[in-house]
Amino acid sequence: MILLCLDVSNSHTTIGAFQGPELIAHWQVSSDERRTADEWQVLITGLTARAGIDDIDAVSMCCTVPMILVELRTLQERYYADLPVAVVGPGVKTGIPIHTDNPREVGADRIVNALAAAELYGGPAVVVDLNGTATIFDVVDADNRYIGGAIAPGVELSLEALSRRGAQLRSVELAVPRDVIGKNTVEALQSGLVFGFAGLVDGIVGRIIESLDTDPDHVTVIATGSFPESVVDHCDTITTRDPHLTLTGLRLIHEKNHG
């Protein structure tokens, strides 16, 4: 059986194909709000065909972009109506208790990440989802309950804001500079982005662990998303790298809803 998983965020969409528990193929494309349901199907068909996948047997997806979610639901109705489909949201079993003020406002991707962290690693755990738009922290406690987290700007968004608002600043490659003290504008920007975001991650994770009031050695801190290696390499608090955590969570969602 082939399970197709789609994780749609503001900047990028990650698509994966599972055969049983094994992720046999994965791709990343842009999250284009103008893409129609038919275009999504052409894109998916092209990617899966190149990987030698002929048939899709089930679909599991989460989406944080309302305009795209409308097209994905049309995609579901038009092309996958006869298949087991799970779209993370109200009415879909997640298997993880959500202990926040308003569980309905928690992003679908955050719930999926928390589920995967609880199932794969066990709590207490912190998921650090580094993507272009946002840096998202999600917390699972020792009882494997999702209890909230934090949201900060993403690396790409910050760089874009700097290049737009700074008259003498420009977009640069996200690479590690020769030293934290930049000797030119490019290295100064790289230093601020790489070491600045590493410090942001370590600072927030440290405060989360303090709030959990537990031994830091007992907390699993998982980096996921399309994270820049240059930043994660300089994070002292990251214990595990799992770039496909969300896809795995979507597989678990499928199993909990369709067995």
Side-chain angles (χ1 to χ4, degrees):
M1 188 198 85
I2 300 297
L3 169 67
L4 179 73
C5 294
L6 288 87
D7 167 29
V8 184
S9 63
N10 290 290
S11 301
H12 303 99
T13 294
T14 304
I15 304 172
F18 284 90
Q19 189 167 34
E22 181 184 358
L23 181 65
I24 59 173
H26 59 87
W27 310 269
Q28 190 173 80
V29 299
S30 63
S31 295
D32 189 347
E33 293 183 354
R34 299 169 300 175
R35 189 177 291 139
T36 67
D38 296 326
E39 289 172 322
W40 275 105
Q41 177 62 8
V42 170
L43 175 65
I44 291 168
T45 302
L47 292 173
T48 53
R50 288 178 64 88
I53 299 171
D54 298 323
D55 295 310
I56 302 297
D57 300 297
V59 180
S60 182
M61 53 188 169
C62 65
C63 178
T64 59
V65 187
M67 288 182 64
I68 297 179
L69 182 57
V70 171
E71 295 300 323
L72 292 181
R73 291 196 181 278
T74 302
L75 172 76
Q76 170 193 351
E77 296 167 0
R78 189 171 296 169
Y79 295 100
Y80 303 120
D82 297 331
L83 302 182
V85 177
V87 182
V88 181
V92 173
K93 299 176 185 176
T94 62
I96 185 166
I98 303 173
H99 286 243
T100 61
D101 291 342
N102 185 359
R104 287 182 174 272
E105 73 179 11
V106 180
D109 56 336
R110 303 182 71 183
I111 296 172
V112 171
N113 282 342
L115 168 63
E119 293 272 345
L120 297 177
Y121 303 99
V126 181
V127 178
V128 185
D129 189 347
L130 292 120
N131 59 65
T133 304
T135 304
I136 304 173
F137 302 79
D138 292 305
V139 186
V140 175
D141 68 9
D143 296 319
N144 285 336
R145 303 175 301 180
Y146 175 76
I147 59 172
I151 302 175
V155 178
E156 290 179 15
L157 181 65
S158 298
L159 178 56
E160 182 182 330
L162 279 172
S163 60
R164 283 186 177 180
R165 300 295 295 272
Q168 295 184 335
L169 302 178
R170 59 186 184 275
S171 184
V172 299
E173 178 188 3
L174 192 61
V176 181
R178 291 175 293 176
D179 189 77
V180 68
I181 303 173
K183 301 298 185 183
N184 52 61
T185 301
V186 170
E187 289 186 348
L189 282 168
Q190 290 172 332
S191 176
L193 290 166
V194 172
F195 301 119
F197 272 89
L200 180 149
V201 169
D202 288 340
I204 293 181
V205 168
R207 289 175 180 267
I208 287 172
I209 293 174
E210 286 180 12
S211 180
L212 288 171
D213 193 23
T214 189
D215 185 344
D217 292 337
H218 296 162
V219 181
T220 305
V221 183
I222 310 143
T224 192
S226 53
F227 56 79
E229 295 282 354
S230 56
V231 172
V232 176
D233 285 345
H234 289 85
C235 294
D236 295 327
T237 53
I238 299 295
T239 62
T240 303
R241 304 185 190 200
D242 190 342
H244 305 305
L245 185 75
T246 312
L247 292 178
T248 301
L250 287 169
R251 175 178 63 80
L252 295 170
I253 290 285
H254 163 76
E255 291 173 358
K256 290 181 182 298
N257 286 269
H258 300 289

